[in-house]
Amino acid sequence: MKSHEIAIGFLLASVSGLGFAAAAAAQDAVPQAAEQDNGDDRGAASIGEIIVTATKRSESINKVGLSIAAVGGEELRSQGISNVADLTKVVPGLTFARSAFNTPVFTLRGVGYFDSALSGAPAVSVYMDQVPYSFTALTTLAVGLDVERVEVLKGPQGILFGQNSTGGAINYIANKPTDTLESGIDLSYGRFNEVEATAFISGPITSNLKGRVALRTSYMDGWQKNYYSRPGDTMGRRREYVGRMILDWTPTDRLHMQLNVNGWADRGQPQAGQFIYFRPNLTSGPDGLGFTPPELVSTPYAPNNARAADWTTVLQDGSNQDITPRKHDTMYQGSLRADYDLTDDLTVTSISAYAHLKRNGIAGDDGVAINNYDIVANIGKIRDFSQEIRLANGGDNPLRFTLGGNYQNSKVVERNLLAYGASTASFGVHFSRAGDFSDQRIENWALFGNIDYDVMDIVTLKAGARYTKSDRRFIGCTYDNDFDPVWGNDAQRVLFNGIIGALRSSVGLPAAPPLQPGACTLIHAPELDASGNPIITPDTYLPGLLDTHLREDNLSWKVGADIKPSADGLVYVNVMKGYKSGGYPSISASTTNQVRPVKQESVLAYEIGFKQKLFNRAVLLTGAAFYYDYRNKQLKSGFNEPVFGTVFALTNIPKSRIQGAEITAAVQPLQGLNLNASATYLDGKIKRFSGINLFGDAGDFSGDLLPYTPKWNISTAADYTIPLTGTVNLNLGASMAYNSRAQAVIGHDPVTMEVGRLKAFTTVDARIGVAAADGSWSVQGWVKNLTNEYYWNNVALLYDTTVRYAAMPRTYGVRTSFRF
C-alpha cells in the first residue's frame, strides 16, 4: 500500500475513532481547558479554549471568525518544536522549504515566496508579541525561545498585520514576567551528539517592575556525510545561541510598558544540497567554445540517503582558501510597547522596534566538490526600524474598533562573491569569478482601521481597511573582480568590453570607454515604451551602477460576518484582499533586464468556516472552505541571457487560483486523553503565464501546479497522561504527518516534473515520559521520523547543477525539565 493511502486511511480511522470515542464518553468526560467559557451559564470548561490576540485584542479562539491554529507552549516543548520549520507538524496547510543559508521559507495554503536573499520579504509574516520580523532572515532562531503559544492566522492579514501577509501571519507570544519568583531548566540530548539547554528566571524586581530572562544554546555534530570526494567528512553542525530579556513596568494604574531585548548568534554550518541533476548550460561565447568540465561529468549523483552530500572545502585556484560552508550570523532586536488607558474603555498602544542582523557566510550550494557555483562569501546586514500606534476600545461594547498607523524604515546591504571556474558557462565565456552587491532602502507608511459591530446577539458584522505606501530604492551592480586564476585577471573586463561593443554597434551607438579594474560590469539595457519597443539613448548598453526606485501603494480590505447559532457554535464568512510588496532580486546579473523588479502581488480570498463544540464540549470541530484569486504572484524564474544561457530573475505570474478546504477534530474522550486529526486539501494552479522556467523551458505554463502546494496535508496526534501515583504521571504521545507530492519548480515537461518534484512523505514522531503531577520535573524519551523516511522539502536549481535539501533522518534522544 502506498504511503498516501496509509495516511488517508489513518486519518479516516482517527476521525471515526474520535467520533465514536466522543459519543461513548460524552456523559463521563471531564475535559481539560485553558480558559473558562463565561459565555454559557452552565460555566463548564471546554476543549480548545485558548485566548488569542488574532484581532490584536484578547479573545477566545472559538469566538474569532477566522481560521486560526494555536499551539500552546507546553505542547511545543513536549514535541520539541523550537523553530518555524517544525510548526509544519502541528499547523495544517503550512509547508516549509530549506534554502542555501538555512533561511526558512514557508508557504501557507499555497501562498508563499521563495527567496533566500536578505532583502526578501515574506508572503507569510512572522511576529513576536505583535512586533514584526520584516525580513525572513531575521526569524531563523529568534522565535522559538520560551514561548507561551504560537498563533497562525490563515488567509490575507493585511489589515492588522500589514502587507507581506498575503498567505497569513505567524504570531509568537513570549512567556511574560511572573508575579512570583520562578525559574526552570530544560535539557535535551539526542542523536548526532545534539545537546540543547534552555533556562529562564522570572519574577518581581520592585513593586511595579517585573522581569524575565531566558537563554538557549544548541550544539550538534555534523549529520551529513560526504559520499564522494572526502568520505568521512561531515556537514550540518549546529552552534546556536539565543537570549531574551523582558521587563514589565506598571508605573501607574493606567500605564503599562514592556521592554523586550533579544538576540541570537549562529556559528554552525548550512545544510549541503544533494547533487541530483546536471544540465549543461553551454554557450558559444565570443570564442565559439562549449566545454563541460570532466570532473563535473564524473561526479556521481547523490544516493537516496538523507545523510549523503558533497561540498567544496578549498578554492581550486592555488590559493588553498578555505571555503568550507559555514554560517556567521548575528541578530539583535529591541522593542518597547506602551499601553495607556485614556479611559476605562479606551487604550492607546505604541510599539517601537529596531532589529539588526549581520551575516558573513559561505555556501557551497552546487552539491559538488569543485568550484561549479560556490558562494565563497555572502556578506550583508539588515537594519530595520518599525513603529505602530493604535487606538482601540474594549469591554463589552457592541461596536469594537481599532484605528492606527505604521511606519517602517529599513536598509539591507548584501554582497556575494562567486567562484564557478568548473561550470559549463565560465569556460565558454572565459571568466570564472563574479561579484555583486546591492544596497536597498525601504520606507513604508500605512493607515488602518478595523471595526466589529454586533447587530444582534448572534450576528457580528466586520470590516477593515489599510492603505500602504511604499518606496524601495535599489543601488547595485555586478562588478569586475580583477582576479581570475583560470583565465587571467582581466578576463571579465575583456569579455564585457566585447559584449558592450557589439551591443552598441548593433544600434548605431559609438564605442564605450574600456572598463577599468573593479568597475561595474552591469550593462544598462534600454527601457521599453508603452508599445514594448526599446528606447535607445546615448546611455544604452553602457555599464555602471543601477540606482532606481520602486514606488507602490495599495489598499487592503476585508468584510465579513460572524453568526453564533448557539453558545457552542460559530459560522463565519470573510472576503479579504491583501498585498505583498514588490522587490528586486539580489543576484549576479549581466544586464539590468535581469534585475528588473517584480511588482506587488495580491490575493483576494473568499472563505466560509465554522467552529462547533459537540457532546458536552468533549469534541471541537472546525473547518473552512476557501477560494483565492491570486494576481501577479512573485516567482523566481529563468531569464534567457544571450551569452550565459538561462540565468535567474524574478517575474510575476499574472493570474493563479487556489481553492481548498480544511477540517480539524479535537477530542477529549477521557480525562488526560487528547486526540487530534486534521486534513487540508489544496488545488493551486497557474491560470495565465507565458515565460521561462528555471530549467530554461519557454512556453505557456497555464494549468501548471503552483510551487510548494501539496494537494493533501494530513496530520493526527494523540497524547495520554496516566496517573501512576498521586504525584507521578506517565505521559504517552505520538503524531503523524503526511504531505502529498508537490513541485518546487513550475513546468510540465518530464524533466521538470521529475527533477523538480517534492515526493509525498509520511513521518511519525513518538514520545514517552514520566512527570511530576505538579509540573516540577519531567523526563521524556523521544524519536522523530520514526520510520526513517527519506524525503526532501526543497529543490534548488543553480547554474548547471540541481540539488535537493533532504529532511533529517530518524533522530532520538532524552529530554528533562525542572521548574523551581
Side-chain angles (χ1 to χ4, degrees):
M1 184 178 289
K2 296 181 180 180
S3 62
H4 73 277
E5 294 172 336
I6 296 173
I8 294 173
F10 189 11
L11 173 74
L12 295 176
S14 299
V15 172
S16 300
L18 294 182
F20 284 123
Q27 298 302 317
D28 300 322
V30 185
Q32 297 173 337
E35 184 72 19
Q36 190 80 6
D37 186 349
N38 296 320
D40 182 5
D41 56 11
R42 290 176 295 177
S46 60
I47 189 171
E49 282 301 331
I50 186 170
I51 300 301
V52 297
T53 55
T55 59
K56 295 197 173 180
R57 63 177 75 237
S58 297
E59 298 176 280
S60 166
I61 189 173
N62 295 321
K63 296 181 179 180
V64 179
L66 188 69
S67 182
I68 308 170
V71 187
E74 184 57 41
E75 183 179 352
L76 295 173
R77 286 190 294 275
S78 68
Q79 297 193 40
I81 297 173
S82 59
N83 54 58
V84 178
D86 290 337
L87 277 181
T88 58
K89 298 179 180 181
V90 292
V91 177
L94 180 67
T95 61
F96 162 80
R98 180 71 66 188
S99 62
F101 286 94
N102 283 12
T103 299
V105 178
F106 17 88
T107 301
L108 189 54
R109 286 182 172 176
V111 180
Y113 174 66
F114 181 81
D115 187 358
S116 59
L118 289 180
S119 58
V124 180
S125 58
V126 178
Y127 287 74
M128 172 64 77
D129 288 332
Q130 303 179 26
V131 175
Y133 290 94
S134 304
F135 302 94
T136 308
L138 298 173
T139 69
T140 305
L141 298 178
V143 292
L145 171 67
D146 192 36
V147 296
E148 175 187 331
R149 67 181 183 278
V150 58
E151 305 166 4
V152 181
L153 287 58
K154 302 177 184 180
Q157 302 298 321
I159 309 305
L160 295 177
F161 289 89
Q163 65 177 3
N164 303 331
S165 57
T166 43
I170 302 173
N171 188 29
Y172 283 83
I173 310 299
N175 279 315
K176 301 303 187 296
T178 51
D179 294 327
T180 59
L181 182 62
E182 297 180 9
S183 61
I185 298 174
D186 297 320
L187 300 172
S188 178
Y189 178 78
R191 190 183 181 190
F192 308 120
N193 286 323
E194 180 185 11
V195 178
E196 185 171 291
T198 303
F200 76 89
I201 185 169
S202 174
I205 300 173
T206 68
S207 60
N208 59 6
L209 178 65
K210 298 179 292 185
R212 188 181 186 100
V213 175
L215 303 170
R216 185 181 74 216
T217 181
S218 183
Y219 172 99
M220 187 176 72
D221 291 340
W223 63 277
Q224 293 183 289
K225 296 191 298 185
N226 194 294
Y227 73 93
Y228 178 62
S229 63
R230 295 170 309 284
D233 280 6
T234 63
M235 180 59 58
R237 76 182 182 202
R238 188 183 302 161
R239 302 289 189 274
E240 299 170 354
Y241 315 91
V242 191
R244 179 188 302 120
M245 179 190 71
I246 297 179
L247 294 176
D248 267 0
W249 184 41
T250 310
T252 71
D253 291 340
R254 291 191 175 275
L255 177 62
H256 175 239
M257 303 186 73
Q258 184 179 102
L259 175 68
N260 184 325
V261 179
N262 63 85
W264 53 264
D266 190 346
R267 299 296 185 265
Q269 294 174 323
Q271 180 178 338
Q274 297 182 321
F275 178 39
I276 61 168
Y277 184 68
F278 169 57
R279 177 205 62 181
N281 201 349
L282 300 175
T283 56
S284 61
D287 55 6
L289 293 178
F291 181 77
T292 301
E295 60 267 47
L296 183 56
V297 176
S298 64
T299 300
Y301 291 158
N304 291 334
N305 184 314
R307 301 187 63 186
D310 204 355
W311 56 89
T312 310
T313 60
V314 178
L315 271 174
Q316 290 104 28
D317 60 4
S319 67
N320 292 321
Q321 179 185 345
D322 180 10
I323 60 167
T324 303
R326 53 185 176 268
K327 296 183 288 184
H328 196 285
D329 294 2
T330 304
M331 194 281 286
Y332 61 84
Q333 183 195 59
S335 66
L336 179 64
R337 172 171 176 160
D339 294 278
Y340 183 72
D341 296 331
L342 297 174
T343 68
D344 292 341
D345 194 36
L346 198 62
T347 301
V348 61
T349 299
S350 170
I351 302 177
S352 307
Y354 176 80
H356 186 278
L357 179 142
K358 291 184 67 175
R359 170 181 288 179
N360 189 351
I362 296 174
D365 203 29
D366 51 23
V368 294
I370 57 178
N371 297 147
N372 177 262
Y373 190 92
D374 289 310
I375 306 175
V376 299
N378 175 246
I379 302 169
K381 63 181 179 180
I382 296 173
R383 294 191 308 207
D384 179 57
F385 170 77
S386 63
Q387 173 67 53
E388 176 174 310
I389 296 179
R390 65 176 186 258
L391 180 69
N393 69 341
D396 297 324
N397 291 295
L399 177 64
R400 298 172 296 282
F401 68 86
T402 302
L403 303 173
N406 289 90
Y407 175 72
Q408 178 194 356
N409 190 299
S410 306
K411 178 178 181 179
V412 185
V413 179
E414 190 164 15
R415 181 165 66 95
N416 296 296
L417 298 177
L418 308 176
Y420 44 88
S423 77
T424 56
S426 62
F427 284 86
V429 298
H430 283 190
F431 81 103
S432 64
R433 294 291 185 271
D436 64 84
F437 82 93
S438 64
D439 181 343
Q440 300 193 44
R441 317 289 176 91
I442 302 102
E443 189 174 40
N444 295 324
W445 296 86
L447 296 173
F448 64 90
N450 189 75
I451 295 175
D452 294 349
Y453 179 56
D454 298 332
V455 179
M456 56 185 74
D457 290 342
I458 66 170
V459 178
T460 300
L461 300 181
K462 306 174 294 185
R466 173 187 289 253
Y467 174 75
T468 303
K469 188 173 184 179
S470 302
D471 183 357
R472 181 182 290 255
R473 182 184 182 187
F474 177 94
I475 304 171
C477 78
T478 303
Y479 58 89
D480 170 58
N481 285 270
D482 196 28
F483 172 73
D484 194 319
V486 179
W487 299 108
N489 292 346
D490 63 346
Q492 187 173 352
R493 298 194 301 277
V494 170
L495 168 67
F496 275 84
N497 278 326
I499 296 172
I500 293 165
L503 289 172
R504 290 181 65 83
S505 176
S506 68
V507 294
L509 293 172
L515 287 164
Q516 299 301 308
C520 284
T521 59
L522 182 69
I523 303 171
H524 286 256
E527 298 289 337
L528 303 179
D529 62 19
S531 302
N533 300 312
I535 303 173
I536 305 300
T537 69
D539 294 332
T540 298
Y541 297 130
L542 287 180
L545 196 69
L546 177 62
D547 187 345
T548 184
H549 284 261
L550 176 64
R551 297 183 175 93
E552 297 175 315
D553 65 345
N554 59 68
L555 181 66
S556 300
W557 54 267
K558 76 168 185 179
V559 293
D562 295 347
I563 303 172
K564 309 174 188 66
S566 69
D568 290 335
L570 171 68
V571 177
Y572 62 88
V573 179
N574 294 321
V575 181
M576 304 177 288
K577 185 163 189 178
Y579 289 83
K580 180 191 177 304
S581 61
Y584 295 86
S586 181
I587 54 177
S588 182
S590 57
T591 73
T592 55
N593 275 331
Q594 194 181 344
V595 198
R596 296 203 189 282
V598 285
K599 58 186 175 182
Q600 60 189 357
E601 70 179 30
S602 69
V603 173
L604 177 60
Y606 305 86
E607 180 171 344
I608 181 170
F610 72 92
K611 302 179 182 184
Q612 181 66 54
K613 300 171 190 173
L614 301 169
F615 302 112
N616 196 30
R617 301 183 174 183
V619 176
L620 173 64
L621 290 178
T622 63
F626 48 87
Y627 180 89
Y628 291 175
D629 184 357
Y630 204 168
R631 300 298 178 100
N632 293 315
K633 174 179 172 57
Q634 299 167 7
L635 181 76
K636 181 180 282 189
S637 67
F639 179 81
N640 190 12
E641 211 287 332
V643 175
F644 301 103
T646 301
V647 292
F648 302 140
L650 292 178
T651 192
N652 290 105
I653 296 178
K655 191 170 184 179
S656 312
R657 67 107 172 98
I658 301 171
Q659 56 191 14
E662 61 188 24
I663 188 167
T664 297
V667 180
Q668 290 178 342
L670 301 171
Q671 180 73 33
L673 177 60
N674 294 279
L675 304 175
N676 293 275
S678 66
T680 299
Y681 170 79
L682 292 174
D683 180 16
K685 284 187 172 62
I686 295 171
K687 296 188 70 174
R688 187 174 73 249
F689 176 59
S690 295
I692 306 174
N693 73 356
L694 290 172
F695 281 108
D697 297 316
D700 186 353
F701 296 95
S702 301
D704 281 13
L705 298 175
L706 287 174
Y708 309 110
T709 308
K711 181 164 288 189
W712 286 101
N713 176 271
I714 300 171
S715 64
T716 62
D719 288 278
Y720 194 21
T721 299
I722 307 170
L724 295 178
T725 70
T727 58
V728 178
N729 294 331
L730 172 67
N731 298 321
L732 303 173
S735 57
M736 182 279 295
Y738 166 77
N739 270 26
S740 62
R741 172 175 172 157
Q743 290 292 126
V745 182
I746 65 169
H748 46 266
D749 62 282
V751 171
T752 301
M753 293 295 290
E754 177 59 27
V755 178
R757 73 185 175 102
L758 305 175
K759 70 178 287 266
F761 65 88
T762 302
T763 61
V764 178
D765 297 350
R767 50 202 175 272
I768 181 172
V770 292
D774 62 2
S776 59
W777 61 266
S778 66
V779 180
Q780 180 194 77
W782 55 269
V783 58
K784 296 182 179 181
N785 194 5
L786 177 64
T787 61
N788 204 32
E789 176 97 344
Y790 171 61
Y791 66 101
W792 52 96
N793 52 49
N794 198 16
V795 173
L797 283 76
L798 289 309
Y799 187 70
D800 48 21
T801 67
T802 301
V803 301
R804 66 171 55 134
Y805 291 99
M808 289 283 287
R810 177 171 49 238
T811 56
Y812 42 81
V814 61
R815 182 181 298 112
T816 63
S817 176
F818 302 92
R819 295 294 181 265
F820 310 101

